[in-house]
Amino acid sequence: MKIALFPGSFDPFTIGHESVVRRALSLFDKIIIAIGYNTNKMGYFPLEQRVQWIKNVFEGDEKIEVEVFESLTVDLCVKKKAQFILRGLRTSADFEYERAIGQMNRSMHAEIETVFFLTLPEHTHVTSTIVRDIIRYGGDASIFLPDKMKISQ
Amino acid sequence: MKIALFPGSFDPFTIGHESVVRRALSLFDKIIIAIGYNTNKMGYFPLEQRVQWIKNVFEGDEKIEVEVFESLTVDLCVKKKAQFILRGLRTSADFEYERAIGQMNRSMHAEIETVFFLTLPEHTHVTSTIVRDIIRYGGDASIFLPDKMKISQ
Amino acid sequence: MKIALFPGSFDPFTIGHESVVRRALSLFDKIIIAIGYNTNKMGYFPLEQRVQWIKNVFEGDEKIEVEVFESLTVDLCVKKKAQFILRGLRTSADFEYERAIGQMNRSMHAEIETVFFLTLPEHTHVTSTIVRDIIRYGGDASIFLPDKMKISQ
Amino acid sequence: MKIALFPGSFDPFTIGHESVVRRALSLFDKIIIAIGYNTNKMGYFPLEQRVQWIKNVFEGDEKIEVEVFESLTVDLCVKKKAQFILRGLRTSADFEYERAIGQMNRSMHAEIETVFFLTLPEHTHVTSTIVRDIIRYGGDASIFLPDKMKISQ
Amino acid sequence: MKIALFPGSFDPFTIGHESVVRRALSLFDKIIIAIGYNTNKMGYFPLEQRVQWIKNVFEGDEKIEVEVFESLTVDLCVKKKAQFILRGLRTSADFEYERAIGQMNRSMHAEIETVFFLTLPEHTHVTSTIVRDIIRYGGDASIFLPDKMKISQ
Amino acid sequence: MKIALFPGSFDPFTIGHESVVRRALSLFDKIIIAIGYNTNKMGYFPLEQRVQWIKNVFEGDEKIEVEVFESLTVDLCVKKKAQFILRGLRTSADFEYERAIGQMNRSMHAEIETVFFLTLPEHTHVTSTIVRDIIRYGGDASIFLPDKMKISQ
């Protein structure tokens, strides 16, 4: 059974994230969307809200599981028996960061591989940070969010 | 009438910013230098000081206007009837960030285009962040600042 | 009168090029699409074909002019009284190259500025080189080409 | 059945390529190593030699197949029923190129996804081009080649 | 006498830092490892701990000196008569940042040159930030730290 | 005795190259400027011309030596007893290439280190390729060339 962990803060989950997960479903038997949090650093959206949104987006899809974690990603992989970490790649700045994280993870657990999918061209500019800024300033970010995830303002 | 918005935090305004604005003046009928601020995150230099510096630098130039704003850049564009956002490009790291912001802005207001000018080679390394660090540690940053903007230490 | 030169080999002209020109039309009074060639290095499509395609794409648009040249870009600018060079930016690799060219041009003619527009997200991956490879191997590249430019295979 | 195509010119196949294939074997049911060639542009090593080397490296491994092709990669995918293209990522320069190719491929065949693995840190600098240069100048490139692939000089 | 300053926050010092210093010893007569701190921004490890670790790592090596500083790097260079600043380069993101800092330093003190060494391939992904995160979450970071620097958990 | 090799094709040698060599003179006892050539691939300027230009530029400087070579750079280092390879860094694209070459060289001869200097900001855009194009099209490239190297047109 091929299990992939898709870690992130998902603050919020965007159409870019959704697209990567949906396309990767053909490759894995299960994808665990794992929301990392840090008790000392509050996110913008409450953790429960983020969990609920992702559950709504993938409602009825038995291959998707949602988890929250406050530990090393590789430790969660071991616990959940995930042999793969799934990540989307948008830009070359993304890539340099992802490579460092991916190679560090492999240094600690050589049997865990990071597998990358490209974001779609039309999602390349969509980042949680910018989406959050739009919402913070009262803009309409709904075109950057999955259908079942409209944010009330 | 071709109006461009030149947004930034300008904390402080540098010779790099000045050069981009002066060179872009031949392309636009008006350039609005728009200082973005965030009531929750104080800058290093007071907002009033930043406004005054920029006014001094472009004193007597009728095509330049200075604004402060705490909103989405595109919303200020609409309010000020600016069809263009003007940005300087220094490095490829800059570019990746600017592209994401520019494409997000266009997603929200398709009629607003971001137009980029190159910084001059001799200004490529001049960033507000580094200039601020020099000033913070008591260094002399005057060679990185416009003539009418000398900072008293 | 604000005149921009849009230089390239356009071998072939793509929807990415078309989009940059159409969006830049609001900023310039005239855009000269200038096809650079090199008598020693044949392109893939004949020069006459490339000229004709671009003329078809912008047929009836009086602000567009098509030129061929085998000289320095800045020398053509001077000859055609273009104060601006227009370029599209796709990726950070593009940017590093464009910056070197733009700054070299400015070293030689300080009054000529290069102005950059972003390609649209959905055109970021469209390059003449890849389009040419698709055509060479008998693939259908029509979705990457302007409407009036279908290539017979 | 999950089939991945691993395309390249493999001129020559390196320890970097070998490592990506071996690690990806846990994810796919079959990996087709597909050597692209161009009848007009001779490689450095003969095509037959390149095929033989790869066959030697993976001798006895039933999940590996070796093909040669002179067509679009996606056309070979369709022919071989491969739903995935496998690529290794070394550097951010690599990434920008791979992203363009991957997104072009997806534009033509939306059901074919490109999946990326990281090269190992100790293989990041190993490219066929540099290995070829070392061999051309009489250097010893054996540390950059798989064990069963020693080149006689 | 050729003196180099190797500045950083070293929070913590890693095998990557150690390797750069050891390899650079053949080029300089003295290397001053200078730990920059900021009284307003506490690091993760106490300053005294960071000093002690580095002293342990290079114990008995007369060419190595350890300093702490809260000033501009170039000012410390002048004070310590260091004509060179030594830095390791890992990635192209690193490079863009280092170039800006290096050129700013040179703008202020034209006689001080920054000299770069490459990190080893197997250290490319090792950054203090990631090492710190591993330690914070209770992971074992010892493979990323010099031998004499094991951290008690 | 600290000897550095400064390899390149220097087709032609530019003010950027000259500046790197002059600034690195304070660090090395001897710098060997080594012009690599390839008997199968003619350069733009004749090899003898390139040698003569560099000799003119550094006439009277006893620490500079000029060599031509058609071999691996590390083999020339061994032959000339150079423990260091000197390179200038302009852009992040440069860096990725230089890192691969530098790490390959170190894989073959672990005792040879590559040492990088930054080009000056005002030389960042000066490359031999662009300078050559300017000359080829009859432009005036003299501002990009060392004083003693004016090219007759």
Side-chain angles (χ1 to χ4, degrees):
Chain A
M1 191 167 172
K2 283 159 195 157
I3 303 177
L5 198 82
F6 185 57
S9 52
F10 306 120
D11 189 19
F13 198 79
T14 69
I15 45 171
H17 298 131
E18 184 191 13
S19 162
V20 167
V21 171
R22 290 210 190 282
R23 287 180 286 131
L25 276 174
S26 63
L27 192 53
F28 298 104
D29 299 303
K30 190 198 282 189
I31 295 178
I32 301 165
I33 303 176
I35 310 177
Y37 68 96
N38 184 332
T39 35
N40 297 320
K41 203 163 43 172
M42 274 243 304
Y44 185 79
F45 292 106
L47 191 58
E48 301 68 35
Q49 174 71 89
R50 288 185 252 164
V51 171
Q52 195 52 54
W53 271 330
I54 299 173
K55 285 188 171 163
N56 290 353
V57 170
F58 295 102
E59 200 180 4
D61 196 325
E62 311 236 319
K63 294 174 73 177
I64 302 289
E65 210 173 277
V66 186
E67 288 281 328
V68 299
F69 73 113
E70 187 177 17
S71 70
L72 288 179
T73 302
V74 285
D75 288 345
L76 183 61
C77 286
V78 170
K79 191 177 144 199
K80 305 295 294 182
K81 299 193 191 331
Q83 314 96 311
F84 302 97
I85 295 172
L86 171 67
R87 297 289 290 163
L89 284 175
R90 296 182 317 104
T91 66
S92 59
D94 262 23
F95 170 70
E96 298 241 329
Y97 175 77
E98 293 291 338
R99 185 179 56 184
I101 297 284
Q103 293 181 336
M104 284 301 255
N105 284 338
R106 221 183 163 280
S107 297
M108 293 185 289
H109 289 265
E111 73 287 1
I112 298 174
E113 287 289 342
T114 305
V115 172
F116 298 96
F117 273 66
L118 291 171
T119 55
L120 301 186
E122 59 269 30
H123 295 163
T124 301
H125 54 300
V126 180
T127 72
S128 292
T129 307
I130 304 184
V131 167
R132 221 158 48 220
D133 277 353
I134 293 172
I135 294 167
R136 180 177 284 134
Y137 287 116
D140 178 6
S142 58
I143 57 171
F144 309 120
L145 300 173
D147 278 347
K148 298 198 176 159
M149 222 188 97
K150 298 313 174 211
I151 286 171
S152 58
Q153 312 236 352
Chain B
M1 190 168 172
K2 283 159 195 155
I3 303 177
L5 198 81
F6 185 57
S9 52
F10 305 120
D11 189 20
F13 198 80
T14 70
I15 46 171
H17 298 130
E18 183 190 15
S19 162
V20 167
V21 171
R22 291 210 189 282
R23 287 180 288 131
L25 277 173
S26 63
L27 192 54
F28 298 105
D29 299 304
K30 190 199 282 189
I31 295 177
I32 300 165
I33 303 176
I35 310 177
Y37 70 97
N38 184 332
T39 35
N40 297 320
K41 204 164 42 172
M42 275 241 306
Y44 185 80
F45 292 106
L47 191 58
E48 300 69 37
Q49 174 72 87
R50 288 185 253 164
V51 171
Q52 195 53 53
W53 271 331
I54 300 174
K55 284 188 172 164
N56 290 353
V57 169
F58 295 102
E59 201 180 5
D61 197 325
E62 310 238 319
K63 293 174 75 177
I64 302 289
E65 211 172 276
V66 185
E67 288 280 327
V68 299
F69 74 113
E70 186 176 18
S71 69
L72 288 178
T73 302
V74 285
D75 288 344
L76 183 62
C77 286
V78 170
K79 191 176 144 200
K80 305 295 293 183
K81 298 192 193 330
Q83 313 98 310
F84 302 97
I85 294 172
L86 171 67
R87 295 291 288 164
L89 283 175
R90 297 183 315 105
T91 66
S92 59
D94 260 24
F95 170 70
E96 297 242 330
Y97 176 77
E98 293 292 338
R99 183 179 58 183
I101 297 283
Q103 292 182 338
M104 284 302 255
N105 285 337
R106 221 183 163 280
S107 297
M108 293 187 288
H109 288 266
E111 72 287 0
I112 298 174
E113 287 289 344
T114 305
V115 172
F116 297 96
F117 273 66
L118 292 171
T119 54
L120 301 186
E122 59 270 31
H123 295 162
T124 301
H125 54 300
V126 181
T127 72
S128 292
T129 307
I130 304 183
V131 167
R132 222 156 49 219
D133 277 353
I134 293 173
I135 293 168
R136 178 178 287 136
Y137 286 115
D140 178 6
S142 59
I143 57 172
F144 309 120
L145 301 174
D147 279 347
K148 298 198 176 160
M149 221 188 99
K150 298 312 174 211
I151 287 172
S152 57
Q153 312 236 355
Chain C
M1 192 167 171
K2 283 159 195 156
I3 304 177
L5 199 82
F6 185 57
S9 53
F10 305 120
D11 188 20
F13 198 79
T14 70
I15 45 170
H17 298 130
E18 183 191 14
S19 163
V20 167
V21 171
R22 290 211 189 280
R23 288 181 288 131
L25 276 173
S26 62
L27 192 53
F28 298 105
D29 300 303
K30 189 197 283 189
I31 295 177
I32 300 164
I33 302 175
I35 310 176
Y37 69 96
N38 184 331
T39 35
N40 297 321
K41 201 162 46 170
M42 273 242 307
Y44 185 79
F45 292 105
L47 191 57
E48 301 69 36
Q49 175 70 89
R50 288 185 253 164
V51 171
Q52 194 53 52
W53 271 331
I54 298 173
K55 284 188 171 164
N56 290 353
V57 170
F58 295 102
E59 199 180 6
D61 197 325
E62 311 237 318
K63 293 174 73 177
I64 302 289
E65 211 172 275
V66 185
E67 288 281 327
V68 298
F69 73 113
E70 187 178 18
S71 70
L72 289 178
T73 303
V74 285
D75 288 345
L76 183 62
C77 286
V78 170
K79 191 177 144 199
K80 305 294 294 183
K81 297 191 194 335
Q83 313 97 309
F84 302 97
I85 294 172
L86 171 67
R87 296 289 290 163
L89 283 175
R90 295 182 318 101
T91 67
S92 57
D94 261 24
F95 170 71
E96 297 241 329
Y97 175 77
E98 293 291 339
R99 184 179 58 185
I101 298 283
Q103 293 181 338
M104 284 303 254
N105 284 337
R106 221 183 162 280
S107 297
M108 292 186 289
H109 288 266
E111 73 288 1
I112 298 175
E113 287 289 343
T114 305
V115 172
F116 297 96
F117 274 66
L118 292 171
T119 54
L120 300 186
E122 60 269 31
H123 296 161
T124 301
H125 54 300
V126 181
T127 72
S128 293
T129 307
I130 304 184
V131 168
R132 220 157 50 218
D133 277 354
I134 294 172
I135 294 167
R136 179 178 285 135
Y137 287 116
D140 178 5
S142 59
I143 56 170
F144 309 120
L145 300 174
D147 279 346
K148 299 200 175 158
M149 223 188 97
K150 298 312 174 212
I151 288 170
S152 57
Q153 311 238 350
Chain D
M1 191 168 172
K2 284 159 194 156
I3 303 177
L5 198 83
F6 185 57
S9 52
F10 305 119
D11 189 18
F13 197 80
T14 70
I15 45 170
H17 297 129
E18 183 191 16
S19 162
V20 167
V21 171
R22 290 209 189 281
R23 288 180 286 132
L25 277 173
S26 63
L27 193 52
F28 298 105
D29 299 304
K30 191 198 280 186
I31 295 179
I32 301 163
I33 303 175
I35 310 177
Y37 68 97
N38 184 331
T39 35
N40 297 321
K41 202 162 45 170
M42 273 242 306
Y44 184 79
F45 292 104
L47 192 57
E48 300 70 34
Q49 174 71 87
R50 288 184 253 165
V51 171
Q52 194 53 53
W53 273 330
I54 299 173
K55 284 187 172 164
N56 291 353
V57 170
F58 296 102
E59 199 179 7
D61 197 324
E62 310 237 318
K63 294 174 74 177
I64 301 289
E65 212 173 273
V66 185
E67 288 280 327
V68 299
F69 74 113
E70 187 177 18
S71 70
L72 289 179
T73 302
V74 285
D75 287 346
L76 183 62
C77 286
V78 170
K79 192 177 145 199
K80 305 294 293 183
K81 298 192 194 331
Q83 314 96 310
F84 302 98
I85 295 172
L86 170 67
R87 297 288 290 162
L89 283 175
R90 296 184 315 104
T91 66
S92 59
D94 261 24
F95 170 70
E96 298 242 329
Y97 176 77
E98 293 292 338
R99 184 178 57 185
I101 297 284
Q103 293 181 338
M104 284 303 254
N105 284 338
R106 220 182 164 281
S107 297
M108 292 186 290
H109 289 267
E111 74 287 0
I112 298 174
E113 288 289 343
T114 305
V115 172
F116 298 95
F117 273 65
L118 292 171
T119 55
L120 300 187
E122 60 269 32
H123 296 161
T124 302
H125 54 299
V126 180
T127 72
S128 292
T129 307
I130 304 184
V131 168
R132 221 158 49 220
D133 278 354
I134 293 172
I135 294 167
R136 179 179 286 135
Y137 287 115
D140 178 5
S142 58
I143 57 171
F144 309 119
L145 300 174
D147 278 347
K148 300 200 174 158
M149 221 188 100
K150 300 310 175 214
I151 287 171
S152 56
Q153 311 239 354
Chain E
M1 190 168 173
K2 282 160 195 155
I3 303 176
L5 198 81
F6 185 56
S9 52
F10 305 119
D11 188 19
F13 197 79
T14 69
I15 45 170
H17 298 130
E18 183 191 13
S19 161
V20 167
V21 171
R22 291 211 189 281
R23 288 181 285 132
L25 276 173
S26 62
L27 192 54
F28 298 105
D29 300 304
K30 189 198 283 188
I31 296 178
I32 301 165
I33 303 176
I35 310 177
Y37 70 97
N38 184 330
T39 36
N40 298 319
K41 203 163 42 172
M42 273 242 306
Y44 185 80
F45 292 106
L47 191 58
E48 300 69 36
Q49 174 72 87
R50 289 185 251 164
V51 170
Q52 195 53 54
W53 271 331
I54 299 174
K55 284 189 171 165
N56 290 353
V57 170
F58 295 102
E59 200 180 4
D61 197 325
E62 310 237 320
K63 293 174 75 177
I64 302 289
E65 209 172 278
V66 185
E67 288 279 327
V68 298
F69 73 113
E70 188 177 18
S71 69
L72 289 178
T73 302
V74 285
D75 288 344
L76 183 61
C77 286
V78 170
K79 191 176 143 199
K80 305 294 295 183
K81 297 194 194 332
Q83 314 96 312
F84 302 97
I85 294 172
L86 170 67
R87 296 291 289 163
L89 283 175
R90 295 183 318 103
T91 66
S92 58
D94 261 25
F95 170 70
E96 297 241 329
Y97 175 77
E98 293 292 339
R99 183 178 57 184
I101 297 283
Q103 293 181 337
M104 284 302 255
N105 284 338
R106 220 182 164 281
S107 297
M108 292 186 289
H109 288 267
E111 74 286 1
I112 298 174
E113 287 289 342
T114 304
V115 172
F116 298 96
F117 273 66
L118 291 172
T119 55
L120 301 186
E122 59 270 30
H123 296 162
T124 302
H125 54 299
V126 180
T127 72
S128 292
T129 308
I130 304 184
V131 168
R132 221 156 50 217
D133 277 354
I134 293 173
I135 294 168
R136 179 178 286 137
Y137 286 116
D140 178 6
S142 59
I143 57 171
F144 309 121
L145 300 174
D147 279 347
K148 299 198 176 160
M149 221 188 99
K150 297 314 173 209
I151 287 171
S152 58
Q153 310 238 353
Chain F
M1 192 167 171
K2 284 161 194 154
I3 303 176
L5 198 82
F6 185 57
S9 53
F10 306 118
D11 190 19
F13 197 80
T14 70
I15 44 170
H17 298 130
E18 183 191 15
S19 162
V20 167
V21 171
R22 290 209 189 281
R23 287 180 288 132
L25 276 174
S26 62
L27 192 53
F28 298 105
D29 299 303
K30 191 198 280 189
I31 295 177
I32 301 164
I33 303 175
I35 310 177
Y37 69 96
N38 183 331
T39 36
N40 297 320
K41 202 162 45 170
M42 273 242 307
Y44 185 79
F45 292 106
L47 191 59
E48 300 70 36
Q49 175 70 88
R50 288 185 253 164
V51 171
Q52 195 52 53
W53 271 331
I54 299 174
K55 285 188 171 164
N56 290 352
V57 170
F58 295 102
E59 199 179 7
D61 197 324
E62 310 237 319
K63 293 174 74 178
I64 302 289
E65 210 172 276
V66 185
E67 288 281 327
V68 299
F69 73 114
E70 187 177 19
S71 70
L72 288 179
T73 303
V74 285
D75 288 345
L76 184 61
C77 286
V78 171
K79 190 176 144 199
K80 305 294 294 184
K81 298 190 193 335
Q83 314 97 310
F84 302 97
I85 294 172
L86 170 67
R87 295 290 290 164
L89 283 175
R90 295 183 316 102
T91 67
S92 57
D94 261 25
F95 171 70
E96 298 241 328
Y97 175 77
E98 293 292 339
R99 184 179 56 184
I101 297 283
Q103 294 181 337
M104 284 302 254
N105 284 337
R106 220 182 163 281
S107 297
M108 293 186 290
H109 289 267
E111 73 288 359
I112 297 174
E113 287 289 342
T114 305
V115 172
F116 297 95
F117 273 65
L118 292 171
T119 55
L120 301 186
E122 59 269 31
H123 296 163
T124 301
H125 53 299
V126 180
T127 71
S128 292
T129 308
I130 304 184
V131 167
R132 220 154 53 216
D133 277 353
I134 293 172
I135 293 167
R136 180 179 284 135
Y137 286 116
D140 178 6
S142 58
I143 57 171
F144 309 119
L145 300 174
D147 278 347
K148 298 199 176 158
M149 222 188 97
K150 298 314 172 208
I151 287 170
S152 57
Q153 312 237 353

